Amino acid sequence: FTLNNNVTTVFGGRRDFGGTSDLTLAGGVTLHSTVGTGQVVNLDVNDPDTVVTMAGVISGGGNFIVPTKRGVGTLVWAGNNTFDVRDTITGSGGGSGQTDGIRVEGGVLRVAHSNALGTSGTANVHIRADLTLGAVLEIDGSSSAVNLPVSRNIVPYYADNYVSFGLYGRNS
């Protein structure tokens, strides 16, 4: 399916009596972009018990897209992704100046493949490092080794002016 720019997509799973709240998207996902810069694709997982896995290839983007993980749940990128993200930094310092690349504003973005963060261009992965929303980038090497490409820079930003800190998780 296609995720359009400047639109919020809310993912959720089905809860059953066994406690399962997972949703797996096994097919490919295309990040659609019209010409422009810094077009945000919000990926919201709002339930802390929900794990949404994008297991197929995420493609597209065309150097215009800023995929943004929001909400307190977990989003897993497990595919051999080929998407391209906006790779220009619009300012310096923390927070609002660092808006391009990939953003983790809340919950967990778990990467379970070496190309989960895409392969095209050089881009930053911005992780909201204050504890307000609990943003975490989790590297999951439990199934196979995950070696992040050198073209992806991990950059914490502090929306609360460095008052509180959070950041990385590892599962291997």
Side-chain angles (χ1 to χ4, degrees):
F1 70 95
T2 299
L3 295 174
N4 291 312
N5 59 292
N6 299 321
V7 173
T8 296
T9 303
V10 179
F11 295 100
R14 186 192 100 217
R15 288 203 184 190
D16 60 26
F17 293 106
T20 302
S21 306
D22 298 343
L23 173 66
T24 299
L25 305 170
V29 174
T30 301
L31 300 177
H32 179 262
S33 173
T34 55
V35 177
T37 59
Q39 299 176 25
V40 175
V41 174
N42 290 318
L43 307 169
D44 292 8
V45 183
N46 294 324
D47 187 329
D49 293 327
T50 297
V51 176
V52 176
T53 301
M54 293 181 163
V57 173
I58 303 172
S59 62
N63 195 26
F64 299 112
I65 293 292
V66 180
T68 303
K69 161 59 180 84
R70 302 187 317 175
V72 294
T74 299
L75 177 62
V76 180
W77 286 348
N80 185 13
N81 300 331
T82 60
F83 66 84
D84 189 11
V85 298
R86 182 81 179 137
D87 59 3
T88 303
I89 302 302
T90 58
S92 61
S96 62
Q98 297 183 351
T99 59
D100 294 336
I102 299 167
R103 291 189 291 203
V104 184
E105 292 186 353
V108 176
L109 175 60
R110 181 180 301 151
V111 295
H113 189 283
S114 292
N115 292 332
L117 297 173
T119 57
S120 298
T122 299
N124 290 340
V125 180
H126 301 280
I127 303 165
R128 184 172 176 162
D130 60 67
L131 296 177
T132 306
L133 297 174
V136 173
L137 175 66
E138 183 176 281
I139 312 300
D140 184 353
S142 61
S143 296
S144 63
V146 175
N147 300 301
L148 297 181
V150 295
S151 63
R152 296 299 184 251
N153 306 303
I154 309 300
V155 180
Y157 76 93
Y158 304 92
D160 66 356
N161 234 3
Y162 300 92
V163 173
S164 58
F165 300 90
L167 202 48
Y168 305 104
R170 193 179 91 172
N171 180 9
S172 60

